[in-house]
Amino acid sequence: MLEFQPLTLGELPRLRDFFKYSGGRICDTTPGTVFMWRDMYRTEYAVCDGSLYFKVDYPGLGPTFPLPLGGGRPEHFRRIAEYCCRQQLPISFCPVPREELDRLQDFFPNSAATANRDSFDYLYRAEDLQFFRGKKLSGPRNHVNKFLKTYGNWTFGDLTEDQVPEVLAFLDRYAAGWDKAAPSFHEEVSKNREVLEHLSAYDMKGGVLRVDGGVVGFSLGEIVGDTLFTHIEKADRDYEGCYQMLVAQFAQRFAGGTAAFINREDDAGDLGLRASKLRYQPVALLEKFIVTIEEPCGAHG
């Protein structure tokens, strides 16, 4: 029987191993995404028979379930349906990646799937973001070249604990200069601070870009399977080409080898961000679906 409880940062070390069994490349099944957005989505978790279950409350959707980690799908689907029926909740799953959709709908024949374009992840070949080779990537490459010509005294290095105060100060300047009304913006900045203040717990790979010794950008992410996930990326737009330089340096430092792909997450429906991510020439948009179940309780008991 599933018994959910609120997800706290203290649970990360105990639950981390479950994420090795995600089997996919969407960002929603990484420790970074789950824990950074746990408060915004009021995430709860349950561990049952070797599987990790999450219940989240996405705006406009109400309580819904990402696909669990570990174990077998029929057991997952049955347990979630039983839980929803006991709690008198509608049965819905989100996000469901394309490769899992048929299996879910085979189990729940009376279901409806809706693609959520705003949540599609952008997947890139690591080597494309490392060097921006070829005509299609001439735009980002030109920005990097502009940065190199303009700012001769630059460095990029690993983010270490002793640099955290400087990076936090940069984050505060960034937030003040790009303040937005959306609650998600303020929650993102808050959780960026949390990651920086709890580097050992999050165990992310981080890099800092400097010009003349001062911080002009930083990135944080993690490798799961064959993919490097970029969870945090902040740069000073007053430095021309700063973002493109940060993208390339982060990819060169942490991708490659077993991490042949980079996931730069979704665009949340922001058209400017969408255009920016498309300019980096993704090799795939990782589709995600909302699946609602329209059948009586007890059908899978």
Side-chain angles (χ1 to χ4, degrees):
M1 182 179 296
L2 297 180
E3 296 182 3
F4 286 94
Q5 56 187 308
L7 184 67
T8 66
L9 183 58
E11 298 296 337
L12 180 49
R14 184 171 73 89
L15 301 179
R16 184 177 293 279
D17 282 349
F18 283 102
F19 292 89
K20 297 177 182 177
Y21 303 106
S22 66
R25 297 193 181 109
I26 63 170
C27 68
D28 308 82
T29 51
T30 63
T33 296
V34 169
F35 279 84
M36 285 175 61
W37 293 100
R38 68 186 188 278
D39 294 331
M40 183 78 176
Y41 299 140
R42 295 189 284 185
T43 304
E44 298 182 3
Y45 80 98
V47 175
C48 184
D49 289 340
S51 293
L52 175 60
Y53 296 75
F54 291 113
K55 182 174 70 167
V56 298
D57 195 345
Y58 290 130
L61 291 182
T64 187
F65 299 84
L67 296 185
L69 303 174
R73 286 292 184 240
E75 293 81 4
H76 294 158
F77 300 151
R78 185 174 296 107
R79 288 187 186 280
I80 290 172
E82 290 171 350
Y83 173 84
C84 290
C85 290
R86 287 197 310 272
Q87 300 295 321
Q88 297 184 321
L89 293 173
I91 306 172
S92 65
F93 294 83
C94 179
V96 178
R98 163 66 70 180
E99 62 268 21
E100 293 275 10
L101 186 59
D102 288 346
R103 183 156 46 168
L104 176 59
Q105 293 198 285
D106 284 345
F107 191 89
F108 294 107
N110 297 325
S111 60
T114 304
N116 182 14
R117 172 62 179 85
D118 293 350
S119 74
F120 288 7
D121 285 354
Y122 292 75
L123 188 73
Y124 305 83
R125 292 194 308 168
E127 62 184 280
D128 288 343
L129 297 191
Q130 288 171 329
F131 305 109
F132 300 137
R133 296 190 180 109
K135 184 177 180 180
K136 289 184 177 181
L137 288 166
S138 61
R141 185 171 66 251
N142 290 339
H143 282 290
V144 167
N145 290 336
K146 179 68 173 180
F147 182 95
L148 292 171
K149 292 176 181 177
T150 306
Y151 313 108
N153 188 21
W154 69 273
T155 62
F156 181 86
D158 290 0
L159 171 60
T160 55
E161 293 278 1
D162 62 297
Q163 299 179 74
V164 167
E166 277 185 283
V167 177
L168 283 170
F170 170 82
L171 178 62
D172 288 342
R173 295 194 301 272
Y174 173 92
W178 290 88
D179 192 22
K180 299 178 182 179
S184 60
F185 175 80
H186 297 282
E187 181 65 14
E188 179 187 2
V189 171
S190 173
K191 286 301 187 287
N192 286 183
R193 293 188 64 88
E194 179 183 86
V195 172
L196 289 166
E197 292 169 350
H198 298 85
L199 279 180
S200 59
Y202 272 97
D203 194 28
M204 289 192 189
K205 301 179 182 301
V208 181
L209 181 63
R210 296 175 180 270
V211 171
D212 295 325
V215 176
V216 299
F218 73 101
S219 295
L220 284 151
E222 61 190 332
I223 294 174
V224 179
D226 64 359
T227 304
L228 171 65
F229 293 83
T230 304
H231 292 310
I232 300 173
E233 185 179 82
K234 299 289 184 287
D236 187 339
R237 295 180 185 273
D238 289 339
Y239 290 80
E240 188 173 352
C242 194
Y243 263 109
Q244 291 80 7
M245 188 68 174
L246 185 60
V247 169
Q249 290 297 309
F250 189 69
Q252 288 176 32
R253 177 65 183 88
F254 298 112
T258 58
F261 297 94
I262 297 176
N263 182 320
R264 290 179 53 76
E265 302 191 342
D266 60 62
D267 58 38
D270 184 314
L271 297 183
L273 186 57
R274 179 170 299 182
S276 174
K277 294 196 175 192
L278 288 172
R279 279 195 288 270
Y280 288 114
Q281 300 299 315
V283 293
L285 294 180
L286 303 183
E287 298 175 285
K288 303 177 194 177
F289 296 82
I290 303 164
V291 178
T292 55
I293 316 303
E294 302 172 359
E295 53 188 30
C297 286
H300 300 285

